[in-house]
Amino acid sequence: MGAGHDHSHHAHAGNKKALAVSFFIIAGYMLVEIAGGLLTGSLALLSDAGHMLSDALSVGLSLLAFKLGEKAVDSRQTFGYKRAEILFALFNGLTLLAIAVLVVIEAVERLNDPPEVAGAGMLVVSALGLAVNIVVARYMHRHGDVHGSINMKSAYLHVLGDLLGSLGAIAAALMMMVFGWRWADPVVSVLIALLVANSGAVVLRQTLHILMQGAPAHIDQAALVAEILAVPQVLGVHDLHIWTLTSSRHLLSAHLVLDGSLTVREAQEVSRAVEALARQKGIGHITLQTDAQDHRHGDALYCQEDGHALGRADI
């Protein structure tokens, strides 16, 4: 328990530091890219600058979410404010999709009459942008929990999208300089937008699943139920619910059907054994209620409140 708490605290501190450093780097270079886009007339650079603006907002909001998550539990928010992480991740996913749509609309308009773009200037600015994004992405990956925290992951995906945007801008600049293909700038912008939209869709799908109190994908519920039923004195399980509060905190509630002849202390020992099984699966908050054996249902396992029953043979 203590080791897990220390790891969580270390990851939390690492995430905050990674986001703070990344925010200042991204915000600083965003101004450079805006100026470069205006001077060269490049939509690819301006779209990438717009993406960097969303990156700065994303990283800033993610940092704010971690700060809110540190607020103490009170009588109004009995789980604290940790779910702010999911709400801000949802916002980040929506901004990714919004940016993609705006870039596609502008690119389609430009395809009809591609403007002159200063390819050399565009190449220099986009190359510097690529270097900045590589540095930020490596820093976030090394010092932040981009796989365990969906909030951190959404900010990281913003930066990766920006990195791809810089690569696209470099490619467009080279095509215009070497072949004179003015349409390369808007076409590359559309490709960048599609990649950005895909990242946004990934984040949205994950955050909506959590907000709908969906079960964590990494937990095999059938295997967990089978292990619970294998605990001595457990005759059945019903009203089993597993859901996610934040990307790193999972919860479980269930009713255990026990032999009615057990003492309170014996029933508590059975509950502790089941809690230990759940913690091994990464579930940190567990609420169990013990019921006396219901002879009408025997060994039935009730996973749903509508009364759908699964026996031991179904597990």
Side-chain angles (χ1 to χ4, degrees), residues 134-186:
I134 289 175
V135 169
V136 172
R138 283 175 58 86
Y139 187 85
M140 292 178 77
H141 191 272
R142 182 173 297 176
H143 299 281
D145 186 15
V146 298
H147 299 294
S149 167
I150 193 171
N151 188 35
M152 192 71 196
K153 180 179 180 179
S154 67
Y156 180 65
L157 285 175
H158 266 271
V159 175
L160 286 185
D162 229 358
L163 191 153
L164 294 173
S166 296
L167 283 173
I170 290 172
L174 290 173
M175 284 189 282
M176 287 186 289
M177 292 171 66
V178 176
F179 303 107
W181 295 344
R182 290 193 295 172
W183 51 262
D185 184 56

Side-chain angles (χ1 to χ4, degrees), residues 21-200:
V21 172
S22 300
F23 175 79
F24 287 109
I25 294 175
I26 291 170
Y29 193 75
M30 175 193 69
L31 300 176
V32 174
E33 206 160 35
I34 290 173
L38 293 174
L39 290 173
T40 62
S42 168
L43 175 62
L45 277 183
L46 287 175
S47 65
D48 201 35
H51 191 200
M52 289 200 87
L53 173 62
S54 78
D55 283 352
L57 289 173
S58 166
V59 171
L61 288 173
S62 296
L63 188 57
L64 177 61
F66 281 121
K67 294 294 290 183
L68 283 174
E70 294 173 353
K71 293 182 66 175
V73 171
D74 57 38
S75 59
R76 289 175 57 84
Q77 299 291 336
T78 57
F79 275 113
Y81 295 81
K82 295 185 182 299
R83 209 162 209 188
E85 170 195 351
I86 306 303
L87 295 177
F88 286 133
L90 176 67
F91 177 79
N92 286 339
L94 289 172
T95 59
L96 283 169
L97 291 179
I99 289 169
V101 171
L102 292 174
V103 170
V104 169
I105 292 173
E106 179 65 21
V108 169
E109 292 179 357
R110 286 198 174 202
L111 274 173
N112 296 324
D113 184 23
E116 285 286 346
V117 176
M122 176 182 171
L123 180 62
V124 171
V125 175
S126 54
L128 288 173
L130 177 63
V132 168
N133 284 312
I134 289 175
V135 169
V136 172
R138 283 175 58 86
Y139 187 85
M140 292 178 77
H141 191 272
R142 182 173 297 176
H143 299 281
D145 186 15
V146 298
H147 299 294
S149 167
I150 193 171
N151 188 35
M152 192 71 196
K153 180 179 180 179
S154 67
Y156 180 65
L157 285 175
H158 266 271
V159 175
L160 286 185
D162 229 358
L163 191 153
L164 294 173
S166 296
L167 283 173
I170 290 172
L174 290 173
M175 284 189 282
M176 287 186 289
M177 292 171 66
V178 176
F179 303 107
W181 295 344
R182 290 193 295 172
W183 51 262
D185 184 56
V187 168
V188 167
S189 298
V190 171
L191 295 176
I192 295 170
L194 292 176
L195 293 171
V196 170
N198 180 66
S199 296

Side-chain angles (χ1 to χ4, degrees), residues 238-239 297 300-310:
H238 64 94
D239 290 325
H297 300 300
L301 162 66
Y302 296 91
C303 287
Q304 301 176 13
E305 292 181 358
D306 61 6
H308 175 64
L310 298 176

Side-chain angles (χ1 to χ4, degrees), residues 137-293:
R138 283 175 58 86
Y139 187 85
M140 292 178 77
H141 191 272
R142 182 173 297 176
H143 299 281
D145 186 15
V146 298
H147 299 294
S149 167
I150 193 171
N151 188 35
M152 192 71 196
K153 180 179 180 179
S154 67
Y156 180 65
L157 285 175
H158 266 271
V159 175
L160 286 185
D162 229 358
L163 191 153
L164 294 173
S166 296
L167 283 173
I170 290 172
L174 290 173
M175 284 189 282
M176 287 186 289
M177 292 171 66
V178 176
F179 303 107
W181 295 344
R182 290 193 295 172
W183 51 262
D185 184 56
V187 168
V188 167
S189 298
V190 171
L191 295 176
I192 295 170
L194 292 176
L195 293 171
V196 170
N198 180 66
S199 296
V202 169
V203 173
L204 277 180
R205 189 163 55 247
Q206 292 178 331
T207 53
L208 289 175
H209 182 73
I210 290 174
L211 290 174
M212 290 297 292
Q213 295 186 306
H218 72 281
I219 296 176
D220 186 338
Q221 293 184 60
L224 175 59
V225 169
E227 291 179 28
I228 292 174
L229 290 175
V231 173
Q233 308 300 335
V234 174
L235 304 177
V237 183
H238 64 94
D239 290 325
L240 173 71
H241 302 284
I242 306 175
W243 70 102
T244 298
L245 181 66
T246 69
S247 52
S248 58
R249 189 177 185 190
H250 309 294
L251 301 86
L252 177 147
S253 68
H255 288 228
L256 302 179
V257 181
L258 307 181
D259 188 330
S261 65
L262 293 178
T263 65
V264 172
R265 184 178 297 279
E266 289 171 336
Q268 286 179 336
E269 291 175 355
V270 174
S271 293
R272 291 192 186 101
V274 173
E275 287 178 4
L277 289 175
R279 293 190 193 284
Q280 291 173 6
K281 306 292 184 182
I283 302 172
H285 188 95
I286 303 155
T287 304
L288 299 174
Q289 178 174 321
T290 57
D291 299 334
Q293 183 179 12

